[in-house]
Amino acid sequence: MTTLLLACGSSIAAEGSLDFVIYASHADMRYANTLQDLLSDASQEKANTKIVQSLEAAAASDADVVILFLTPTKEKIADEVLEKLKKKKVLGVDYGSAQLFGLLGLSINGGACAHFSSNAPKLQTPPCELLGERAAEAPFAPYQGAAGGDNFGMYIPAKSELAKHLDVVARCVGDENYAPIVRQGNFVMVGYSGLPTEWSQSYRALFTDVARQLRARERESFRAADLPITAPGIYFYELAKGRSRDDLPRREHYLRFEKPTRFTATLIHDESDNMMMIFMGEKDRQHWTRKDSRNGDPLTITVDITEEDIKKNGDRLWSLAITNFDAQHAPHCTLHIDYVDADEE
């Protein structure tokens, strides 16, 4: 018997092992209730339900998969809850779940996403590890009618370094650089978050497949994406024209600091009339710094990384992102990255 632990609905004692636990922070009970119906229909087995009224209760459950529908919140999540979730398989829907994934240290998180507001581009499903031999289908709309909820997708071009380390389950039709469903290890982020009653049949089938295949996978040890670290030095490359869908108009460099350091990045470029460079720590966007160039001028960011900064960011990386927004030009870039020990200053 498939057993479902539901976050909203009537309280029925669950028997046997749990396949899913659902927690929906929405005041609208239909988010959880209709998902119960969806998963029950998909398995052709009756699902037993039990009310869980908090994220803490969902994290403490013995279910194979935790399914979260979370709206954004500024409430602090206890470290104990985060550590429990790291040991789970989690399917997170809505932007609050994306923010939660950021707290866990995952690359699939709200800061990597763009919002489509009331728009929700059609989907296509490229080959992916999670769904295995699932038959590909023509692009389809995620909703039966007008889009509801907060719809967003992760910026992850197929040629990007990050795409080599994540499993993209669905991409947007019309701008394939964005993906509303992406997996990283035991975690799946879903960016189309309208009510399940509003979903199209194709999207309902896709969501069900994702949930069931995540449940069937063996749980992995929690780990961040093993991204390459950019060492100090000089780097040469060309960026694509802004909004390019074939090549990369953006380059990201991943950084790690072991001791107090003065970090300096200087970008020299030609052609582009709209270039941006952003530096930040992965946790809480530490030392977030943005520089823009509208007329081809060089860009420089200098940041003093302290022992306290390193401790706060923990094992997480720092990043330097360079983006060309000029849709008419593909600039040649020369990037100088320099580390100077604070003791030498």
Side-chain angles (χ1 to χ4, degrees):
M1 173 180 289
T2 297
T3 306
L4 180 70
L5 182 61
L6 190 66
C8 303
S10 59
S11 180
I12 303 176
E15 299 178 358
S17 62
L18 295 170
D19 295 317
F20 300 101
V21 54
I22 303 172
Y23 172 63
S25 65
H26 301 68
D28 192 330
M29 299 275 284
R30 291 177 297 171
Y31 278 89
N33 291 336
T34 55
L35 186 57
Q36 175 194 15
D37 295 338
L38 174 62
L39 294 176
S40 297
D41 291 344
S43 65
Q44 297 182 346
E45 298 176 6
K46 184 177 180 179
N48 292 331
T49 67
K50 180 179 179 180
I51 294 174
V52 198
Q53 299 181 350
S54 67
L55 178 62
E56 291 79 4
S61 77
D62 293 327
D64 288 337
V65 176
V66 175
I67 301 181
L68 303 175
F69 277 79
L70 300 182
T71 52
T73 178
K74 294 183 179 180
E75 293 183 10
K76 180 176 174 56
I77 299 175
D79 291 341
E80 178 184 357
V81 175
L82 296 176
E83 290 304 314
K84 287 180 179 179
L85 288 172
K86 286 182 178 181
K87 299 175 183 178
K88 304 291 187 181
K89 292 184 283 186
V90 182
L91 199 169
V93 187
D94 212 339
Y95 198 66
S97 298
Q99 292 176 319
L100 171 64
F101 286 177
L103 294 177
L104 294 174
L106 297 171
S107 297
I108 53 172
N109 61 69
C113 297
H115 294 262
F116 307 131
S117 188
S118 60
N119 181 35
K122 288 185 177 181
L123 298 177
Q124 56 186 4
T125 52
C128 69
E129 182 181 348
L130 178 64
L131 300 184
E133 299 300 320
R134 185 180 190 272
E137 59 182 310
F140 59 89
Y143 297 103
Q144 301 175 43
D150 181 11
N151 302 289
F152 57 90
M154 179 177 180
Y155 180 77
I156 181 168
K159 294 184 179 180
S160 67
E161 178 65 34
L162 197 54
K164 302 174 186 177
H165 302 269
L166 305 180
D167 189 21
V168 175
V169 178
R171 288 190 177 276
C172 295
V173 175
D175 194 343
E176 288 73 14
N177 287 336
Y178 288 91
I181 306 180
V182 188
R183 180 182 66 87
Q184 181 177 352
N186 303 319
F187 302 83
V188 177
M189 180 176 70
V190 178
Y192 286 177
S193 51
L195 274 166
T197 51
E198 301 170 345
W199 296 352
S200 67
Q201 283 300 116
S202 293
Y203 186 67
R204 289 165 65 89
L206 174 61
F207 186 93
T208 300
D209 280 354
V210 168
R212 295 177 69 185
Q213 292 303 322
L214 184 61
R215 183 191 66 192
R217 288 180 62 87
E218 184 176 347
R219 188 175 63 82
E220 307 172 18
S221 297
F222 181 89
R223 64 181 183 276
D226 187 18
L227 299 169
I229 304 301
T230 300
I234 303 176
Y235 299 87
F236 305 93
Y237 48 81
E238 180 177 332
L239 292 179
K241 295 178 180 179
R243 298 194 294 275
S244 173
R245 296 174 183 173
D246 300 317
D247 292 302
L248 295 176
R250 175 185 173 100
R251 178 72 67 92
E252 290 194 352
H253 298 269
Y254 302 98
L255 315 164
R256 190 181 296 282
F257 302 106
E258 304 291 346
K259 54 187 175 181
T261 303
R262 169 161 285 188
F263 168 81
T264 301
T266 299
L267 176 70
I268 301 171
H269 60 97
D270 62 10
E271 296 290 335
S272 177
D273 290 328
N274 194 349
M275 187 75 79
M276 178 185 73
M277 184 162 65
I278 291 180
F279 173 86
M280 64 179 172
E282 199 169 36
K283 184 175 183 180
D284 299 331
R285 299 162 68 91
Q286 290 170 268
H287 286 294
W288 187 94
T289 306
R290 171 174 174 167
K291 293 292 180 69
D292 292 89
S293 173
R294 301 290 183 181
N295 55 7
D297 291 337
L299 297 173
T300 296
I301 291 177
T302 299
V303 178
D304 289 320
I305 306 297
T306 67
E307 189 72 45
E308 183 179 348
D309 293 329
I310 295 171
K311 183 178 180 180
K312 181 178 180 181
N313 205 45
D315 294 332
R316 305 189 190 196
L317 299 179
W318 303 71
S319 66
L320 180 74
I322 299 168
T323 305
N324 175 36
F325 291 109
D326 187 339
Q328 304 302 317
H329 302 101
H332 296 85
C333 300
T334 302
L335 177 65
H336 298 253
I337 290 182
D338 189 27
Y339 289 16
V340 177
D341 290 351
D343 294 339
E344 299 177 13
E345 285 294 304

